[in-house]
Amino acid sequence: MTKQDILRVAVIGGDGTGPEVAAEGVKVLKAVAALEGIQYELQDYDLGGDRYLRTGEVLPESVLGELAAFDAILLGAVGHPEVAPGILEKGLLLELRFRFDQYINLRPVKLYPGVETPLAGKGPEDIDFVVVRENTEDLYCGMGGFLKKNTPDEVAMQTAVYTRKGCERCIRWAFEYTRKRNKKKRLTLVAKTNVLTYGHDLWWRTFQDVAKEFPDVAPDYNHVDACCMWMVKNPEYYDVIVTTNMFGDIITDLAGILQGGMGVAAGGNINPEPGGTSMFEPMGGSAPKYTGKGMINPIAMIAAVAMLFEQAGYEKASQRITNAIQTVTGTKMKSQAAGKMGYSTSQVGDLVCEAL
Ligand code: IPM
Ligand code: MN
């Protein structure tokens, strides 16, 4: 994804509360674009559980072809109570990540003012780090199979795949990001080199090699289990973490709750190459029980829009949204939990627009 004259954004509301939060993301996108004079195009795509139940289609090739022409996709949520688990997650979310080679999953962990964290004695100045999760390899690549399925002798294999190219491009991007972020200038590799002595040895060696290109960034290492402990005990230690796909999935849920939960946590699936299509989403799911009630928190989606602008090269627009979010969480919202915000979903969107 690189800066274009016209920012082209596809919107996939998806399932459950996805369309409600996506609408607030779009509202803020339009408002900030007007203030900053950014040209954009928006197009809605009807994908998700309802379409699947209606037509049997999850992600038709023709739609993939169309989406490739966009700079970014805003994704509301994936997951439908009437669709078996895995069909939409693999067929839509993971398929988009893989097919558009969105090899960076960027998950900022920032405690906004006024937001409650379960960590006693920690505040916004302590919880401000970023996880860079590799997004195309590892246990997610779907390699494996069964032998003697449904017999007492059944064998199941699920293979973690790591390539030099895959970890190197992710690690290099993370070093560049750490340099650009310009805070503690420390990049922590999180892995399990004491047990995964092949796959994570490749990550370790690659990390050491790439670190030589960035003498201004301090290379650092944590085993993943220790990282979970330190993240709770001393979150202020971290600046940027780079990690594998599976570990990144797990530690970013832990990190997400430290920043106030799924109402706030956002993620970017980034293809940094010129012409690449990236995708931005709130980390929370489709929350079926809140669907259509105007109770769900759109802050994570709005933070995802801030990330979209940042990655598209509109840093001022991005900063403007982040500042507005902080005003709204710090001075208006009662809570970040669905139904307890003191405002409806669309009122929170309006408040952010007013604070821009
Ligand atoms: C996430 C989600 C997905 C993942 C699921 C829904 C496939 O948990 O974005 O973290 O495992 O990556
Ligand atoms: Mn996850």
Side-chain angles (χ1 to χ4, degrees), residues 18-327:
E20 290 164 60
V21 293
E24 300 315 305
V26 167
K27 191 191 273 177
V28 173
L29 185 152
K30 287 180 175 168
V32 82
L35 290 166
E36 292 284 330
I38 298 168
Q39 305 287 312
Y40 64 90
E41 259 174 52
L42 284 170
Q43 193 171 325
D44 272 310
Y45 279 88
D46 168 30
L47 295 168
D50 288 335
R51 174 157 178 182
Y52 173 70
L53 292 170
R54 216 170 54 237
T55 68
E57 292 170 318
V58 179
L59 185 56
E61 279 300 321
S62 60
V63 175
L64 260 173
E66 285 179 36
L67 289 172
F70 288 86
D71 303 304
I73 300 167
L74 267 188
L75 177 65
V78 169
H80 194 293
E82 287 155 53
V83 178
I87 293 183
L88 299 168
E89 291 83 350
K90 281 183 95 168
L92 189 54
L93 180 65
L94 296 182
E95 191 67 9
L96 286 166
R97 288 180 183 169
F98 292 154
R99 292 290 289 269
F100 290 128
D101 204 20
Q102 294 162 345
Y103 60 86
I104 301 298
N105 192 325
L106 183 64
R107 297 192 159 177
V109 184
K110 189 174 168 62
L111 182 66
Y112 296 123
V115 176
E116 223 180 297
T117 174
L119 292 190
K122 300 292 179 188
E125 60 295 344
D126 303 307
I127 301 173
D128 184 4
F129 60 94
V130 178
V131 180
V132 178
R133 164 186 172 189
E134 200 288 322
N135 212 25
T136 57
E137 301 195 335
D138 200 357
L139 288 163
Y140 276 77
C141 65
M143 295 255 296
F146 299 107
L147 184 65
K148 303 182 187 174
K149 194 174 179 187
N150 291 323
T151 74
D153 297 325
E154 177 162 356
V155 178
M157 304 240 295
Q158 191 97 38
T159 307
V161 175
Y162 306 102
T163 68
R164 172 75 196 204
K165 179 181 155 192
C167 65
E168 186 170 337
R169 64 185 183 174
C170 175
I171 289 167
R172 184 169 287 106
W173 193 92
F175 269 106
E176 272 159 13
Y177 188 86
T178 310
R179 172 181 277 171
K180 204 164 148 220
R181 177 172 150 90
N182 200 18
K183 294 223 164 133
K184 297 193 178 79
K185 294 263 203 108
R186 179 194 296 128
L187 179 62
T188 306
L189 169 65
V190 169
K192 188 76 181 170
T193 54
N194 52 349
V195 175
L196 305 180
T197 49
Y198 308 117
H200 289 199
D201 187 66
L202 174 61
W203 268 76
W204 169 259
R205 283 182 283 114
T206 307
F207 187 76
Q208 304 307 317
D209 287 347
V210 178
K212 293 183 195 125
E213 299 166 25
F214 298 87
D216 53 324
V217 175
D220 179 40
Y221 176 80
N222 281 176
H223 288 318
V224 65
D225 45 354
C227 167
C228 291
M229 183 181 71
W230 291 120
M231 204 183 268
V232 171
K233 190 169 183 291
N234 294 114
E236 66 281 357
Y237 175 79
Y238 292 108
D239 181 15
V240 181
I241 288 173
V242 64
T243 191
T244 56
N245 204 349
M246 188 77 253
F247 288 170
D249 177 48
I250 298 165
I251 68 170
T252 54
D253 264 33
L254 174 60
I257 200 69
L258 304 187
Q259 70 178 123
M262 291 300 141
V264 211
N269 303 274
I270 299 163
N271 176 332
E273 307 300 328
T277 300
S278 300
M279 176 165 73
F280 300 86
E281 51 173 342
M283 262 176 61
S286 54
K289 74 173 182 185
Y290 292 115
T291 302
K293 299 206 166 91
M295 286 161 78
I296 200 79
N297 189 348
I299 290 290
M301 181 86 253
I302 296 169
V305 172
M307 219 187 297
L308 187 163
F309 278 113
E310 185 195 357
Q311 293 304 319
Y314 298 98
E315 269 146 35
K316 250 184 84 200
S318 175
Q319 197 53 52
R320 214 163 169 148
I321 299 174
T322 305
N323 292 346
I325 290 175
Q326 301 196 51
T327 303

